[in-house]
Every structure is written in C-alpha cells, then in structure tokens.
C-alpha cells in the first residue's frame, strides 16, 4: 500500500480517487504513481486556469464542498419558512423569512454553510461553482441579518459577474435595504432594475416579488398587484409560494375594492389545497365578499359561517367565524344578533389577541352608535388594553376611551349625588327601613360567600388527602404514574398539588375569573362599573341605583362613621355620605351642578350627541335656575337646536340669552363681537390702532404701516402690543427696502423680545433668508440649479459619497482601499464603508456617518489631499464625490439628482475656497 505523505487536503483527496481508479484498472504501482503524479501536477493548482484544472475544481468544488453548504443553507431557509408566523390580520409578508429570534435559531447552521462556501471559493477558484459560492455567501449573510456584509458581497457579484448575476444580485440588494428598513433606497434600486429589458426568466420570480414587497411597504398596492401577477404568470415558483402570492393578491384586491379579482385569487388559494390556516382564512375572506343588499347572498354566507362554526376542525378559529357573523348581522342592522356574535367571538378567543381586540372594538363602536355609552366605555377600555400602540387606530381608540371615561365619571357623580339627596329627603322611619333591608341583604350575601369559601376549602382538603381523585372524570382511568418523567396530566399527584397551590391563597390569592387578572395595572374600576352597568341594564330602577350606591359603603371602614343619625354605628355607616346638613346639601348641589355642566359640554363638543346635550343642560336649568352656568347652557342649547335643524327652539334660547345677558361673552359671541374686559376696555384705542395697521399691511399699504407704527410708539410707549407692531413693521420693511434692512429689523426683534412668538417667527424668517442668500450666491445665474432645493443642514449627520458610472469598476477593491484609509487616518470615527447601486446608473461608495458637516468636510479634505480616489482607487474615468446630509442623500437618490447636487456642492466649495 502506498502511503500518502506531505500532501495538502486537495492533493490527498484527489490522490485517493486516482489511486483507486488506476488500481481498479490493474496497472502496476509504478505506472499508477506516475499517472497520479502527472494529474496532481496539472490539476491541483486552485488558481491555474487550464482545462484540466477547471474540470477538476468544478467537480470537487461542487460535490465536495458547495453541495454540502447548499444543503445547510436550504435547511436554514426551510426552518425559517416553517417557523414564520403569518399574521392574517394584515397583508402577508411576500418573503416568509421569520424574525430576528428565528434568525438566531439557525445561526449555527448558517455558520457551517458559510464555512463550506468560503472553502469552495478558496480551494477551487477556477472552478465553475466559484460564482455560485460567492452568491451563496451573500445570501447567507442576508439570512443571518448581517445586511451590510450581504451588501458588500452582492456588490462584488455585480462587479465580478455582471452578465450572469447583476440582475439577481441587485434584487437581493433591494431586499437588504428592506431588512435595514430603508424602503426609499430599496425602491430606487428595484426601480432601476425593472427599467432594464434583459431580465432572464429564471430571475423573474425573485425580482418582481421583491418589487411587490417594496410596493406593499410603500402602500403602492396597484403596482404590487401588477408585479405579483407577473410572478404568477411567468415566474418559476413552487406550490407553497404560489399559494402565498394568490392569497396576498386577494388581500391587495380587497384593498383596491376589486371584489371579483379578490374572489378569483382567494378561490385559487383554496383550490391549491394549502395548509389549513391558509385555507380557512381564504374561505373567511370569500365570505366577506358578498353584496349586503342581496338577501340570498347574505343568507348563503350566514349558513356557511354557521356550518364552519359547527366543524370541529375550526375550534381554534371560532373567534374569527363569530366575528364575521357579527359583521354580517351588523350589515343587516340586526343589532342583538350582532352583539351576541361579537361576544361569542371574544369568549371563544383563546390565543389570537389581535382578533379579540377587533371584536372588542366592534362592540365598542356598536354600543357607541346606539348611545349605550356605559357599555361602550367598558369595551373601549378593553380594546385599548389589547391594541398595540403602534396601530394606526390606537390614538382614535384611546382618545374615545378618555372621553367616555370622563363622561361616565360625571354621570356617576350626578347619579350618586341625586340618589343621596333623595335619601336625605326620606323620613327617618322610611330611611331606617331601607337601611335595615340593605343590612339583611348584605348579611345574606356574606353568608353565601362564607358557604362558598367553606365549600372550596373542603374541596382543597379533599384533593390533598385524596390526590388520585382530583380532576379525574367518572369512569376515566389515568395511566399509572412513572415518576418524574411522566407527562404532567397523567401524574395525578402533580395535578393535585398544582391545583391546590393555584386555588389556595398562598400563591396568587383568590382571583376573579377574568382576563388579565395578573396585570397589576389592570384598572380596578372596570369590575365595579361593568357590574353596575349590567345591574342597571337588568333593572334600571331608582331602588337598584340606591342599593348599588349603598353597597359601595359596606367596603369602607365601619368604625369611621361620618354622622350619628340612628345612634347605631352599623346603620350609620350606610348613610355616612347622605347630605343631612345644609352645608353638606349645598356641597352636593355644587358637585351635581358641575357634573351636569360637564355632561352637557361633553355630549355637545366631544360626542356630538346634541339631544343628550340638551337633556343634561335642561336638567341643569330645571334644578339650578339662574346659576353661573346659565348663559353658557343657553348658548349651547341654542347651538344644539341649531345643529338639530330646530330653528324655532334655537331662536328662543338666542333671544333669551341676548335679552337677559347682553354683555355676557356668550352673547357677544353670538353677535360676532369681541368680549370686553377691563383690560381690553383700557386698551381699546390701542387695539383699534393695531387692527388698522394690520389691515393696512393686508392691503399692501406698507408706507401707512410704518406711519401707524410710529404713531403707536408716540401715543402708547411701552405698550403690550409693541412686539406685534415691530414685527408687522419689519414685514413692511421687507416689502419696501433691501434684504439687509429686513434682516436688521428681524434681528432687533429677536434681541429685544426674546422668547416670544414674534421672535420665533423672526428667527425662522432669518434662517430662510440666510439659506436663500447662500443658495443665490452659489447658484448665481445658473438656471439649471435655480430650482434645486436642498438645505445644507450643518448640524445633521453627514456621509461622504463617491459615485462613478462604470459597470466594470471593482467596487469591492474600492471598499477595501477606503477601509484601509479609514483604519489609518480615521480609526476613532467608527466609520462604515458600503457600495450600492443608484437609480441613475451610478455605483456609489458611501462612507458614514459623520456627526456633522464640519467633520465630513475634514474627512473629504483628507481624501483629496491624500489622492485616495485617483492614486489608491485608481479611478480613471469621470466621477463625482461630495459630502451630504443623510436627509439630502435620500432626497437626491429618490429624485435622481446626484449630478445636480455634485454641481451645487462644487459651487459651494468654489465660494468657500476662491
């Protein structure tokens, strides 16, 4: 046997293959060794570009290294796709690549793949799989979510293999921008790619799907539909991808209000026999696309939804089914069935919190629309708790919740004070009878609670003494316990101990069976208010209101009795808040008056329920005539009748207000007059003079403006209107004199009247003037730049940009050279170098980021002095380079103005360094 010594891995591998081959052909050892030596000599060099080398390295590079790396990369992608969470409440992701947590889970597999691809590149450079290895490296970085490294590898592909890989690499470059949440840059890159006409059929699916993802992110749904249709028509995609894209097209067509096409794509999704979540949600979407005016269609959809609800396969989707059933009933104005369906949706929702929030929201809006504000408030509370703060509807939900909370609080104050006052008017005998009945009812309640507690305690003890019987249904035999490895629900001892611990007070305490019972911030008022609401809905009598009111007093410390009415501390505790004294009654009246006033304003201004506003203002008028709130109440009663088109009643309140309160601000408001106060009376002439000055300015009588300003200075020195006079005078100067005089007048205002509105306005105008002046100085008579609008933003983060229109330029080497320069001359600035494509055909080298313009200019100056672009990068053709703020960079990239900005920037440099 020949020993293999002093050979590297490649040589050893090939030596064994050849030795086996020649030995099988029965050659002698000497001949075998000679042949093998010749093959090794001609084929082993990984860089020598000869036919034998290429064939050998193509074979070994593919099957020995690349193939294994590809398997691992595909395994990682499959894992990411399998674990991707599809949120059917919004448009699905075009590419199901999971989230950051999922990416971390496949890091080890991707690292192994990276080793294989890197090995293929290093050991088989002349093989035909070197380009595929580089592309696989770029994708591996992408799935590791190292998007910058992926961009560098993709840019290398674009430069190194422009024929085969330019288009597909550019598409993946756009995907890296999406990963970095730079959608505008992604749009610029993919837009440039779609403008080319030489896209190969094998690349259509990836390119147009990427374009669709960009369109969806930018909410350009029409373009997304066109691009996904292109993928389905011409792209090579597997069945799972076809299912996903059909479903997305259904969603997009729903948004575009094209029901017919939406139905086509949802039906296509179902016909492809997808996974059950896709099939179910597609079917649900089909049921939504009916004509609400077609009774047969409505009945058909209703039967379909009920049939789906009875299917055991849909047990995890009952919340969605009942939600759609509720919407259907709502569309037909069947309010009770709609309410019932939405409540069932909430009850059946076990894990889909987004769906539960939607059901809560529908109920909240429904109760609001039917003017049941107490229930609406409860459901808005629940909706706000479950809705993500980033949701577009969150602000509306939260603001409505706040208004309803304010409304219910004032209703509670009014009803409480009204009930207490009614009790104070009862005779002592009648009140004593009521209190006695309340005490008896409360004692009965306590007895029942004690019995329930005792019963629970007995069950606990029974479960502890007989653990094998806990939780076992009659006739059900549990498998024998097998120790610690036994499944929890087959281990009777574990079940018993766990239940005893849970139901006892020692860990969680006795808790009400409700959602979010462990959240400390859960609003305690919800339970009280919702129970009170349901009680009032069922009975609605004053007796029940009083009972609920007095029941609240039971929880108070009974040793602290505010009054001695019965001489019995237990009974007195129940009437501690009743206003028996004159002062207490007046205080109660003030609380009630304030609550009624607030209710009228809330109903009128925030809820727009003018009838309820009139109702509470009427109660205010009847209970408290001639109160301080009367003029305001009459004003809003007039406005409410006016909004309800009740002209006659509106006129009555207007006439009464003007007649009885002619000088009241609300009377003046109805007449279109300004309210007169002591201050305005004293300055009446001054106000009139300012109004005259302002009218002169609007009429472009700028000389008159200046004269009236001088008149104000003489007649009213040091007046409160002086900043306003100075500002309007400065504006007149700006219209009649040169820029320098205008700037001087504005500067004087900022100096003399700092921290005022006119000073802020003057500063803003000065900034605009300075920028305009600088731009004018730079642009000069260049008409091409006259309309070019960028702000220099000296304090904003900046980039250094070098761009060249040369597809053959090796930007990978450029990035490496600039990185070396940065290590040598700017190592403390923590700079990053990237190469990207623009939508003007430029390849861009970007260095970022500098904290401000000054630092970027210093870097730029060093690059120029060092001759980096010409000498180190050896750029021979024309190029542009400049520093630019991040905002301006996004603007010029989007508007295709790289050359225009370069020209503008060069003019600035000429002005600075003539």
């Amino acid at each position: 046997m020949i020993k293999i010594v002093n050979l590297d891995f490649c040589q050893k591998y090939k030596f064994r293959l050849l030795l086996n081959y020649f030995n099988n052909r029965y050659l002698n050892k000497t001949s075998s060794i000679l042949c093998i030596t010749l093959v090794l000599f001609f084929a082993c060099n990984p860089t020598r570009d000869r036919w034998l080398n290429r064939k050998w390295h193509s074979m070994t590079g593919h099957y020995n290294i690349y193939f294994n790396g590809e398997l691992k990369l595909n395994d990682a992608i499959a894992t990411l796709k399998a674990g991707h969470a599809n949120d059917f409440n919004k448009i699905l992701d075009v590419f199901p690549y999971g989230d950051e947590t999922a990416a971390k889970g496949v890091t080890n597999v991707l690292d192994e793949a990276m080793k294989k691809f890197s090995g293929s590149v290093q050991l088989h450079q002349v093989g035909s799989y070197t380009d595929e290895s580089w592309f696989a490296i770029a994708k591996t970085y992408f799935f590791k979510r190292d998007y910058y490294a992926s961009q560098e590898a993709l840019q290398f592909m674009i430069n190194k293999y422009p024929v085969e890989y330019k288009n597909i690499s550019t598409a993946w470059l756009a995907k890296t921008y999406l990963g970095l949440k730079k959608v505008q840059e992604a749009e610029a890159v993919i837009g440039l790619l779609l403008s080319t006409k030489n896209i190969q059929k094998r690349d259509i699916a990836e390119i147009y799907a990427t374009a669709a993802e960009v369109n969806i992110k930018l909410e350009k749904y029409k373009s997304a539909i066109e691009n996904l249709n292109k993928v389905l028509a011409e792209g090579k995609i597997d069945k799972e991808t076809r299912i996903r894209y059909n479903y997305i097209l259904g969603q997009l067509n729903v948004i575009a209000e094209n029901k017919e096409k939406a139905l086509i794509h949802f039906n296509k999704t179902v016909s492809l026999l997808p996974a059950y979540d896709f099939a179910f949600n597609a079917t649900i979407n089909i049921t939504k696309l009916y004509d609400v005016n077609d009774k047969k269609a409505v009945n058909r959809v209703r039967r379909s939804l009920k049939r789906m609800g009875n299917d055991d396969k849909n047990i995890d989707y009952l919340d969605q089914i009942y939600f759609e059933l509720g919407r259907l009933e709502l569309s037909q104005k069947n309010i009770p069935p709609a309410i019932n369906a939405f409540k069932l949706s909430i009850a059946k929702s076990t894990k889909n919190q987004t769906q539960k929030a939607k059901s809560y929201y529908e109920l909240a809006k429904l109760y609001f629309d039917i003017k049941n504000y107490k229930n609406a408030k409860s459901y808005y509370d629940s909706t706000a708790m479950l809705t993500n703060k980033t949701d577009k509807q969150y602000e509306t939900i939260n603001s409505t919740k706040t208004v309803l909370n304010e409304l219910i609080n004032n209703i509670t104050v009014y009803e409480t004070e009204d009930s207490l006052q009614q009790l104070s008017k009862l005779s002592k005998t009648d009140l004593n009878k009521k209190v006695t009945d309340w005490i008896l009812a409360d004692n009965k309640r306590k007895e029942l609670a004690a019995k329930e507690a005792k019963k629970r305690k007995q069950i606990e003890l029974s479960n502890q003494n007989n653990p094998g019987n806990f939780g076992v249904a009659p006739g059900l035999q549990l498998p024998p316990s097998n120790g610690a490895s036994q499944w929890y629900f087959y281990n009777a001892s574990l079940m018993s101990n766990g239940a005893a611990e849970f139901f006892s007070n020692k860990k969680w305490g006795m808790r009400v069976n409700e959602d979010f019972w462990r959240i400390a911030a859960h609003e305690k008022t919800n339970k009280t208010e919702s129970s009170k609401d349901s009680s009032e809905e069922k009975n609605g009598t004053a007796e029940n209101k009083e009972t609920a009111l007095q029941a609240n007093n039971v929880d108070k410390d009974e040793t602290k009795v505010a009054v001695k009415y019965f001489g019995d501390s237990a009974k007195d505790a129940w009437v501690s808040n009743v206003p028996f004294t004159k002062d207490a009654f007046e205080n109660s009246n003030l609380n009630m008056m304030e609550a009624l006033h607030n209710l009228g304003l809330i109903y009128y201004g925030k809820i727009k329920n003018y009838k309820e506003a009139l109702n509470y203002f009427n109660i205010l008028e009847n209970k408290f005539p001639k109160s301080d709130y009367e003029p305001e109440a009459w004003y809003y009663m007039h406005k409410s009748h006016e909004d309800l088109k009740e002209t006659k009643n509106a006129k009555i309140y207007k006439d009464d207000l003007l007649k009885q309160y002619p000088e009241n601000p609300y009377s003046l408001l109805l007449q279109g007059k300004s309210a007169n106060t002591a201050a305005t009376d004293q300055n009446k002439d001054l106000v009139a003079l300012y109004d005259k000055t302002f009218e002169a300015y609007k009429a472009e009588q700028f000389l008159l403006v200046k004269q009236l300003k001088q008149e104000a200075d003489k007649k009213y020195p040091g007046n409160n209107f002086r900043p306003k006079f100075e500002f309007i005078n400065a504006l007149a100067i700006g219209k009649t004199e040169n820029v320098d005089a205008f700037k001087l007048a504005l500067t004087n205002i900022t100096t003399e009247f700092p921290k005022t509105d006119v000073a802020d306005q003057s500063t803003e105008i000065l900034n605009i003037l300075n920028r305009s002046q600088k731009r004018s100085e730079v642009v000069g008579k260049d008409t091409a730049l006259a309309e070019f609008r960028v702000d220099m933003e000296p304090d904003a983060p900046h980039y250094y940009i070098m761009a060249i229109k040369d597809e053959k330029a090796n930007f990978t080497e450029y990035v490496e050279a600039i990185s070396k320069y940065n290590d040598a001359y700017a190592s403390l600035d923590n700079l990053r170098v990237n190469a990207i494509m623009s939508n003007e055909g430029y390849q861009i080298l970007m260095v970022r980021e500098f904290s401000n313009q000054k630092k970027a200019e210093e870097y730029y100056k060093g690059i120029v002095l060092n001759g980096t672009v010409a000498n180190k990068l050896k750029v021979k053709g024309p190029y542009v380079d400049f520093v630019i703020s991040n905002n301006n960079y996004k603007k010029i990239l989007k508007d295709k103005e790289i050359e225009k900005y370069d020209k503008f920037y060069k003019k600035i440099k000429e002005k600075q360094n003539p």
Side-chain angles (χ1 to χ4, degrees):
M1 179 65 68
I2 301 173
K3 294 182 179 180
I4 303 174
V5 293
N6 297 328
L7 298 175
D8 63 14
F9 172 79
C10 172
Q11 291 170 323
K12 289 179 182 178
Y13 180 75
K14 287 180 278 192
F15 194 94
R16 288 194 183 97
L17 288 176
L18 291 171
L19 186 60
N20 289 335
Y21 175 82
F22 286 120
N23 284 337
N24 288 339
R25 290 291 182 269
Y26 304 102
L27 297 176
N28 59 46
K29 290 182 180 179
T30 303
S31 300
S32 297
I33 293 171
L34 180 60
C35 290
I36 290 170
T37 303
L38 290 172
V39 170
L40 290 176
F41 177 78
F42 287 109
C44 257
N45 193 314
T47 59
R48 184 173 294 171
D49 191 8
R50 293 182 179 178
W51 181 87
L52 183 59
N53 285 51
R54 287 197 303 273
K55 293 299 181 183
W56 178 265
H57 285 289
S58 293
M59 179 184 70
T60 55
H62 181 197
Y63 294 106
N64 186 38
I65 303 182
Y66 175 83
F67 178 77
N68 293 318
E70 187 179 36
L71 286 178
K72 290 187 179 295
L73 177 58
N74 289 337
D75 286 344
I77 296 173
T79 301
L80 290 173
K81 287 184 176 180
H84 183 82
N86 292 309
D87 186 354
F88 290 95
N89 293 298
K90 60 182 183 180
I91 299 174
L92 294 186
D93 297 311
V94 174
F95 300 106
Y97 291 153
D99 54 15
E100 290 187 12
T101 304
K104 290 178 181 177
V106 295
T107 298
N108 291 337
V109 179
L110 292 172
D111 286 340
E112 289 296 320
M114 184 69 76
K115 290 179 183 177
K116 299 295 182 182
F117 297 135
S118 299
S120 179
V121 169
Q122 292 170 2
L123 297 175
H124 306 286
Q125 295 179 29
V126 297
S128 60
Y129 278 84
T130 305
D131 52 354
E132 294 192 21
S133 297
W134 273 113
F135 188 53
I137 287 171
K139 291 197 291 184
T140 305
Y141 276 126
F142 176 87
F143 289 111
K144 289 180 71 175
R145 294 184 174 246
D146 188 350
Y147 298 118
Y148 290 113
S150 180
Q151 285 181 347
E152 292 174 5
L154 290 167
Q155 193 64 52
F156 172 81
M157 292 295 298
I158 292 169
N159 296 327
K160 185 74 173 177
Y161 308 103
V163 178
E164 302 91 341
Y165 283 95
K166 180 178 180 179
N167 291 339
I168 192 66
S169 295
T170 304
W172 278 84
L173 196 61
K175 289 167 75 171
T176 63
Y177 280 118
L178 288 177
L180 292 167
K181 296 187 171 43
K182 296 182 177 181
V183 187
Q184 300 292 345
E185 285 87 338
E187 183 186 30
V189 171
I190 203 70
L192 177 65
L193 178 56
L194 293 181
S195 65
T196 61
K197 297 181 180 180
N198 58 342
I199 296 177
Q200 295 178 305
K201 188 169 183 178
R202 66 177 186 183
D203 297 334
I204 285 176
E206 192 71 45
I207 291 171
Y208 284 93
T210 303
E213 180 82 325
V214 173
N215 297 147
I216 292 170
K217 296 291 184 187
L218 293 169
E219 299 183 0
K220 297 180 179 180
Y221 300 123
K222 184 178 179 181
S223 298
I225 290 171
E226 292 174 357
N227 287 320
L228 279 183
N229 278 325
K230 177 86 171 177
V231 175
L232 291 177
E234 302 180 29
K236 295 181 179 180
I237 54 176
D238 57 27
K239 177 185 172 183
E240 296 302 319
T241 305
R242 191 168 292 276
I243 290 168
R244 175 175 290 274
Y245 290 174
N246 270 292
Y247 187 90
I248 294 173
L249 277 168
Q251 292 178 304
L252 294 172
N253 278 290
V254 168
I255 296 173
E257 298 182 352
N258 194 331
K259 289 186 177 182
E260 292 183 3
K261 289 187 177 179
L263 276 171
I264 291 171
H265 288 292
F266 284 131
N267 280 311
K268 184 65 175 177
T269 302
V270 175
S271 69
L272 288 169
L273 303 177
Y276 193 70
D277 56 347
F278 271 91
F280 172 81
N281 282 284
T283 305
I284 280 288
N285 277 289
I286 290 170
T287 63
K288 295 179 185 179
L289 302 172
Y290 60 90
D291 184 356
V292 295
N293 298 315
D294 185 344
K295 296 296 181 183
K296 290 183 178 180
V298 170
N299 290 330
R300 185 171 61 251
V301 172
R302 185 185 287 116
R303 287 195 300 270
S304 176
L305 288 169
K306 289 182 177 180
R307 189 165 53 249
M308 291 172 69
N310 293 328
D311 191 337
D312 291 340
K313 295 196 300 294
N314 294 329
I315 192 167
D316 290 331
Y317 301 99
L318 289 175
D319 52 351
Q320 290 176 252
I321 294 171
Y322 284 117
F323 176 79
E324 294 304 331
L325 191 58
R327 287 177 52 126
L328 180 142
E329 299 296 354
L330 194 58
S331 72
Q332 302 303 301
K333 296 182 171 51
N334 300 327
I335 303 304
I339 291 174
N340 185 53
F342 288 131
K343 287 183 176 179
L344 280 172
S345 174
I346 292 168
K348 299 297 182 181
S349 183
T350 56
K351 55 187 178 180
N352 190 341
Q353 297 300 303
T354 304
Q355 179 58 58
K356 182 177 279 192
K358 289 169 68 176
S359 300
Y360 273 127
Y361 191 34
E362 288 297 327
L363 275 170
K365 292 188 294 182
L366 194 156
Y367 277 119
F368 190 93
D369 290 340
I370 63 176
K371 299 178 175 54
N372 187 336
Y373 298 117
K374 289 186 177 180
N375 279 339
K377 181 256 182 191
S378 298
Y379 283 108
Y380 266 108
D381 286 345
S382 299
T383 306
M385 188 182 299
L386 287 172
T387 304
N388 193 311
K389 291 186 178 180
T390 60
D391 193 291
K392 292 180 180 179
Q393 293 180 313
Y394 179 78
E395 287 302 322
T396 301
I397 292 168
N398 198 48
S399 61
T400 308
K401 169 196 166 185
T402 303
V403 170
L404 289 173
N405 282 339
E406 186 182 356
L407 177 75
I408 300 306
N409 288 340
N410 280 283
I411 288 176
T412 303
V413 170
Y414 163 63
E415 292 181 349
T416 300
E417 296 297 344
D418 187 55
S419 298
L420 290 172
Q421 289 186 11
Q422 295 300 321
L423 292 173
S424 72
K425 296 174 184 178
L426 292 174
S427 67
K428 191 169 185 178
T429 303
D430 291 341
L431 185 58
N432 184 48
K433 185 177 181 302
K434 278 187 175 291
V435 171
T436 302
D437 291 342
W438 293 338
I439 291 174
L440 288 173
D442 183 57
N443 288 337
K444 188 174 181 180
R445 179 181 62 81
K446 287 180 178 178
E447 286 176 9
L448 289 173
K451 286 181 181 179
E452 287 295 324
K454 185 177 180 180
K455 189 176 179 180
R456 285 196 298 269
K457 186 69 174 176
Q458 288 174 347
I459 293 172
E460 277 183 46
L461 293 172
S462 176
N463 289 333
Q464 290 175 357
N465 295 330
N466 302 286
N469 294 329
F470 177 79
V472 182
L476 178 62
Q477 297 295 322
L478 291 179
S481 178
N482 235 354
S485 63
Q486 186 70 34
W487 185 43
Y488 176 83
F489 291 103
Y490 284 169
N491 191 320
S493 177
L494 286 176
M495 285 179 66
S496 175
N497 292 337
E501 180 182 24
F502 183 84
F503 286 110
S504 68
N505 285 316
K506 65 183 181 180
K507 185 164 187 179
W508 301 113
M510 299 308 295
R511 296 282 183 170
V512 178
N513 183 18
E514 62 176 348
D515 289 336
F516 309 110
W517 57 272
R518 285 183 291 177
I519 298 179
H522 184 44
E523 298 177 71
K524 296 181 180 178
T525 58
N526 286 358
K527 177 189 165 187
T528 304
E529 289 171 352
S530 61
S531 63
K532 182 179 175 185
D533 294 346
S534 60
S535 173
E536 291 180 5
E537 277 185 4
K538 290 179 182 177
N539 301 303
T541 64
E543 180 74 11
N544 286 320
K545 292 182 182 179
E546 292 169 7
T547 304
L549 170 69
Q550 298 303 326
N552 288 335
N553 292 332
V554 177
D555 296 330
K556 296 182 178 181
D557 187 348
E558 296 187 7
T559 62
K560 296 179 180 178
V561 180
V563 295
K564 293 182 179 180
Y565 189 73
F566 297 107
D568 182 339
S569 61
K571 289 186 176 181
D572 286 342
W574 286 83
V575 294
S576 60
N577 292 324
V578 177
F580 292 116
T581 66
K582 182 179 179 181
D583 289 342
F585 203 90
E586 287 181 359
N587 189 58
S588 176
N589 277 339
L590 289 173
N591 291 337
M592 190 188 297
M593 195 188 312
E594 180 70 21
L596 288 167
H597 167 258
N598 291 341
L599 286 168
L601 293 181
I602 292 168
Y603 274 118
Y604 179 82
K606 297 180 179 179
I607 297 182
K608 309 297 183 186
N609 186 336
Y610 305 120
K611 288 186 177 180
E612 282 298 313
L614 283 169
N615 175 45
Y616 281 101
F617 280 129
N618 273 317
I619 296 172
L620 177 64
E621 275 296 285
N622 293 333
K623 282 185 174 290
F624 309 102
K626 300 299 180 183
S627 71
D628 292 340
Y629 291 121
E630 188 170 71
E632 186 178 3
W634 285 358
Y635 173 81
Y636 281 108
M637 291 170 84
H638 157 75
K639 296 293 290 183
S640 297
H641 281 300
E642 201 174 53
D643 290 325
L644 291 169
K645 310 298 181 186
E646 297 170 356
T647 311
K648 186 177 179 180
N649 290 331
K651 186 176 184 304
I652 291 172
Y653 283 103
K654 179 180 180 180
D655 292 344
D656 287 346
L657 180 58
L658 296 178
K659 181 178 179 180
Q660 297 192 34
Y661 300 97
E663 298 301 322
N664 189 277
Y666 287 99
S667 297
L668 298 173
L669 187 60
L670 278 178
Q671 300 174 75
K673 297 179 181 179
S674 300
N676 291 325
T677 64
T680 55
D681 287 339
Q682 292 173 5
N683 296 295
K684 193 173 182 180
D685 293 338
L686 177 62
V687 172
L689 182 58
Y690 178 75
D691 289 341
K692 185 178 180 181
T693 307
F694 185 68
E695 290 300 324
Y697 179 78
K698 288 199 298 182
E700 298 185 359
Q701 297 174 338
F702 304 121
L703 293 177
L704 180 59
V705 168
K706 295 178 183 180
Q707 292 171 4
L708 293 173
K709 185 263 179 185
Q710 291 174 358
E711 182 181 338
D713 289 342
K714 291 177 182 178
K715 287 186 177 180
Y716 311 101
N719 65 78
N720 294 333
F721 278 73
R722 188 160 171 260
K724 293 180 178 292
F725 276 109
E726 293 290 347
F727 182 68
I728 203 168
N729 183 63
L731 295 178
I733 290 173
K735 294 290 186 179
T736 56
E737 301 180 34
N738 59 36
V739 175
D740 291 336
F742 187 29
K743 290 172 69 174
L744 179 61
L746 293 170
T747 304
N748 289 337
I749 292 173
T750 60
T751 305
E752 193 169 356
F753 310 107
K755 298 181 180 179
T756 61
D757 291 342
V758 294
D760 293 339
Q761 289 177 281
S762 299
T763 302
E764 187 176 347
I765 295 172
L766 282 169
N767 290 336
I768 294 171
L769 288 173
N770 290 332
R771 287 198 298 266
S772 178
Q773 190 170 358
K774 287 181 180 178
R775 186 181 291 113
S776 299
E777 291 173 357
V778 171
V779 173
K781 297 181 180 180
D782 193 331
T783 55
L785 294 177
E787 299 300 320
F788 186 56
R789 291 290 181 265
V790 292
D791 292 328
M792 297 314 295
E793 301 180 314
D795 297 323
H798 273 65
Y799 306 152
Y800 165 76
I801 301 293
M802 192 280 285
I804 183 172
K805 280 186 177 178
D806 183 359
E807 294 185 356
K808 297 181 180 180
N810 192 336
F811 264 63
T812 303
E813 293 181 2
Y814 291 178
V815 169
E816 185 178 351
I818 291 293
S819 297
K820 288 180 180 179
Y821 174 86
N822 292 344
D823 290 339
Y825 299 102
S827 58
L828 300 178
D829 292 332
N830 195 27
L831 300 173
R832 180 181 287 274
V833 186
N834 294 108
I836 61 172
M837 287 287 294
S838 83
N839 53 4
E840 294 179 75
Y842 276 104
Q843 293 194 72
I844 297 175
L845 186 145
M846 175 199 296
V847 181
R848 63 184 198 152
E849 97 180 351
F850 304 93
S851 58
N852 53 47
Q853 183 180 355
K854 183 179 179 182
K855 286 185 175 293
E857 293 283 4
E858 291 173 354
Y859 180 88
Y860 177 74
K861 187 176 180 180
I863 288 281
V864 173
L865 293 174
N866 191 261
T868 303
V869 176
N871 301 329
K872 300 291 191 303
L873 305 186
K874 298 180 180 178
V875 176
K876 297 179 181 178
Y879 67 91
V880 299
D881 65 337
F882 46 77
V883 302
I884 187 170
S885 69
N886 52 4
N887 290 328
N888 285 333
Y889 173 71
K890 292 176 184 177
K891 180 183 181 300
I892 67 167
L893 197 67
K894 180 181 178 181
D895 298 340
K896 303 181 181 180
E897 295 179 327
I898 290 177
E899 294 178 359
K900 193 175 287 187
Y901 181 86
D902 177 64
K903 187 176 180 182
F904 179 77
Y905 180 75
K906 294 299 188 290
K907 283 183 172 290
I908 291 176
K909 300 303 293 180
E910 289 173 7
K911 292 290 182 181
Q912 291 177 348
N913 304 296

